[in-house]
């Protein structure tokens, strides 16, 4: 088979190319492109049986221009950028790198909670200004109630880490899941009881703007909210207003409502976003997946997915 990596999936070329030797040893042709050039995707894909990429748009126009593709090995977990209906019509198998960033995102979520509670950035600035004193008091995670929205792999791992810090963990999932040490509650109860709300649910029609002004009004005035899942789960302007009005105490976000796909090369928010002027916010540029360990893991998962497809193993 002809396997084409349209990009080095955010790793250096030599690492990816060497990892493909196992495929070459089985007689497959593997081409790894050294750069990410969406405008060249159609040209680079000609004659390929298997396409590997991360988050570049693969829409109907792409599939109309490129025939013969048997498999897409998507080296990220999300598939928002792939026209799955077209893949189904054309009998193209699609596999993602599910689970590669579980640890990275869960650890970041905990780190964001600690940052908001201990004012780490602000205290750094106090020190750098050579002034006496500090921004006090902070808060501890121990004894706080963490409400997790979405008990997928990342939500479950966040629960494990939070319990290690001494948090009481409650959760809401569209279909209740039994997780040791986690109490299932309805969404209303979760928002009302939680000191920290962590969002780890997928973005669907049902979860789009799941958290808006009404839901934010149910939270404690001392509560904070953390989102490392998909930005569209929270209605951005409503969150900014809740922070400004003191409805809730703080927010830490790695994703944003209306955020453009990463392949566009655009910033996650514009300078007119109301969150930029909201108090006690931590705004990160979608880095949850971005650890060296996660990047190597997703490369390994991607190659494993290709091997399974080639060997007719159900993914």
């Amino acid at each position: 088979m002809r396997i084409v990596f349209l990009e080095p999936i955010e790793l250096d070329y030599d690492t990816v190319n060497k990892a493909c030797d196992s495929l070459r040893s089985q007689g497959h042709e593997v081409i790894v492109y050294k750069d990410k050039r969406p405008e060249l995707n159609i040209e680079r894909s000609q004659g390929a049986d298997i396409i590997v990429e991360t988050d570049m748009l693969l829409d109907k126009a792409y599939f109309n221009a490129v025939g013969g593709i048997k498999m897409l090995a998507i080296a990220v977990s999300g598939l928002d950028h792939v026209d799955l209906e077209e893949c189904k019509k054309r009998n193209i198998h699609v596999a993602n790198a599910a689970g590669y960033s579980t640890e990275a995102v869960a650890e970041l979520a905990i780190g964001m909670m600690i940052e908001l509670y201990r004012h780490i950035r602000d205290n750094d600035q106090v020190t750098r200004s050579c002034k006496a004193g500090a921004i006090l008091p902070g808060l501890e995670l121990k004894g706080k109630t963490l409400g997790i929205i979405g008990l997928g792999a990342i939500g479950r791992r966040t629960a494990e880490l939070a319990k290690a810090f001494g948090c009481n963990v409650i959760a809401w999932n569209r279909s209740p899941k039994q997780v040791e040490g986690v109490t299932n509650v309805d969404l209303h109860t979760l928002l009302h009881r939680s000191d920290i709300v962590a969002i780890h649910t997928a973005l669907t029609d049902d979860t789009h703007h799941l958290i808006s002004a009404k839901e934010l009004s149910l939270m404690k005035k001392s509560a904070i909210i953390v989102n490392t899942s998909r930005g569209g789960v929270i209605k951005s302007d409503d969150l900014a207003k809740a922070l400004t009005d003191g409805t809730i105490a703080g927010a830490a976000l790695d994703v944003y409502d209306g955020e453009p796909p990463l392949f566009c090369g655009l910033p996650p928010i514009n300078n007119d976003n109301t969150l930029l002027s909201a108090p006690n916010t931590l705004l990160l540029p979608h880095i949850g997946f971005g650890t060296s360990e996660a990047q190597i893991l997703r490369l390994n998962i991607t190659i494993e997915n290709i091997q399974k497809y080639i060997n007719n193993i159900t993914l």
Side-chain angles (χ1 to χ4, degrees), residues 118-119 123 133-138:
R118 297 303 303 272
H119 313 294
N123 278 306
I135 297 174
L136 296 171

Side-chain angles (χ1 to χ4, degrees), residues 155-217:
R156 294 195 301 272
R157 182 56 180 152
T158 302
E160 291 176 358
L161 295 175
K163 285 187 291 181
F165 277 94
C167 291
N168 305 309
V169 183
I170 60 178
W172 174 81
N173 199 71
R174 284 170 291 176
S175 300
K177 294 183 178 180
Q178 300 305 314
V179 177
E180 184 178 357
V182 177
T183 302
N184 284 287
V185 297
D186 60 65
L187 184 59
H188 183 284
T189 300
L190 182 144
L191 294 169
H192 181 72
R193 287 176 50 187
S194 297
D195 298 298
I196 306 166
V197 173
I199 298 176
H200 294 295
T201 189
L203 179 61
T204 66
D205 290 341
D206 290 336
T207 62
H208 182 253
H209 288 174
L210 179 70
I211 305 299
S212 59
K214 177 183 176 181
E215 289 73 30
L216 291 164
S217 70

Side-chain angles (χ1 to χ4, degrees), residues 69-82:
I69 296 175
K70 299 178 177 65
M71 179 199 183
L72 294 179
I74 304 300
V76 291
S77 54
L79 295 172
D80 313 49
H81 57 295
V82 179

Side-chain angles (χ1 to χ4, degrees), residues 45-61:
S45 300
Q46 298 301 326
D49 297 294
I50 297 175
I51 292 293
V52 184
E53 64 110 41
T54 55
D55 53 13
M56 295 182 287
L57 182 64
L58 301 181
D59 57 7
K60 184 176 181 178

Side-chain angles (χ1 to χ4, degrees), residues 3-311:
I3 303 164
V4 176
F5 282 68
L6 293 177
E7 52 169 307
I9 59 172
E10 298 178 14
L11 287 162
D12 66 271
Y13 168 81
D14 289 337
T15 296
V16 177
N17 199 47
K18 182 174 178 55
C20 292
D21 285 347
S22 61
L23 293 167
R24 295 188 180 98
S25 69
Q26 298 168 40
H28 303 292
E29 178 188 5
V30 183
I31 298 171
V32 180
Y33 285 98
K34 294 184 177 181
D35 55 6
K36 186 173 184 173
R37 300 280 298 279
E39 70 276 13
L40 297 180
N41 281 350
I42 290 175
E43 177 184 334
R44 291 176 171 181
S45 300
Q46 298 301 326
D49 297 294
I50 297 175
I51 292 293
V52 184
E53 64 110 41
T54 55
D55 53 13
M56 295 182 287
L57 182 64
L58 301 181
D59 57 7
K60 184 176 181 178
Y62 169 82
F63 293 114
N64 282 339
V66 181
I69 296 175
K70 299 178 177 65
M71 179 199 183
L72 294 179
I74 304 300
V76 291
S77 54
L79 295 172
D80 313 49
H81 57 295
V82 179
D83 190 330
L84 297 177
E85 283 299 315
E86 280 299 308
C87 291
K88 185 176 180 180
K89 290 177 184 176
R90 299 166 188 266
N91 198 31
I92 298 172
H93 184 81
V94 181
N96 65 343
Y100 85 93
S101 63
T102 297
E103 192 68 33
V105 176
E107 287 188 9
L108 180 66
I110 296 294
M112 294 163 82
M113 297 171 199
I114 294 173
E115 201 295 320
L116 282 183
Y117 266 12
R118 297 303 303 272
H119 313 294
I120 295 171
R121 289 170 304 147
D122 293 336
N123 278 306
D124 172 82
Q125 291 304 309
V126 170
T127 303
R128 291 177 186 277
S129 66
C130 298
K131 295 179 180 177
I135 297 174
L136 296 171
L139 293 169
E140 298 174 2
L141 289 181
K142 184 177 181 179
K144 301 300 186 296
T145 295
L146 170 64
I148 296 177
I149 297 178
L151 276 179
I154 296 173
R156 294 195 301 272
R157 182 56 180 152
T158 302
E160 291 176 358
L161 295 175
K163 285 187 291 181
F165 277 94
C167 291
N168 305 309
V169 183
I170 60 178
W172 174 81
N173 199 71
R174 284 170 291 176
S175 300
K177 294 183 178 180
Q178 300 305 314
V179 177
E180 184 178 357
V182 177
T183 302
N184 284 287
V185 297
D186 60 65
L187 184 59
H188 183 284
T189 300
L190 182 144
L191 294 169
H192 181 72
R193 287 176 50 187
S194 297
D195 298 298
I196 306 166
V197 173
I199 298 176
H200 294 295
T201 189
L203 179 61
T204 66
D205 290 341
D206 290 336
T207 62
H208 182 253
H209 288 174
L210 179 70
I211 305 299
S212 59
K214 177 183 176 181
E215 289 73 30
L216 291 164
S217 70
L218 299 174
M219 296 173 61
K220 300 176 181 179
K221 288 186 178 295
S222 58
I224 63 172
I225 192 165
V226 175
N227 188 10
T228 56
S229 61
R230 288 292 183 265
V233 177
I234 300 178
K235 191 171 183 179
S236 181
D237 287 342
D238 286 3
L239 175 59
K241 187 174 188 305
L243 290 162
T244 301
D245 294 347
T247 303
I248 64 172
L253 308 175
D254 190 40
V255 289
Y256 304 90
D257 192 9
E259 178 181 359
L262 294 181
F263 67 82
C264 291
L266 301 172
I269 57 175
N270 297 320
N271 56 18
D272 60 352
N273 192 295
T274 51
L275 286 168
L276 291 172
S277 57
N280 201 24
T281 56
L282 173 64
L283 306 177
L284 302 180
H286 202 144
I287 61 169
F289 63 93
T291 65
S292 297
E293 295 89 343
Q295 305 315 304
I296 292 297
L297 181 57
R298 79 171 175 178
L299 172 60
N300 293 337
I301 291 173
T302 298
I303 291 177
E304 181 181 358
N305 284 343
I306 294 171
Q307 293 278 20
K308 288 180 177 179
Y309 175 77
I310 291 172
N311 293 300

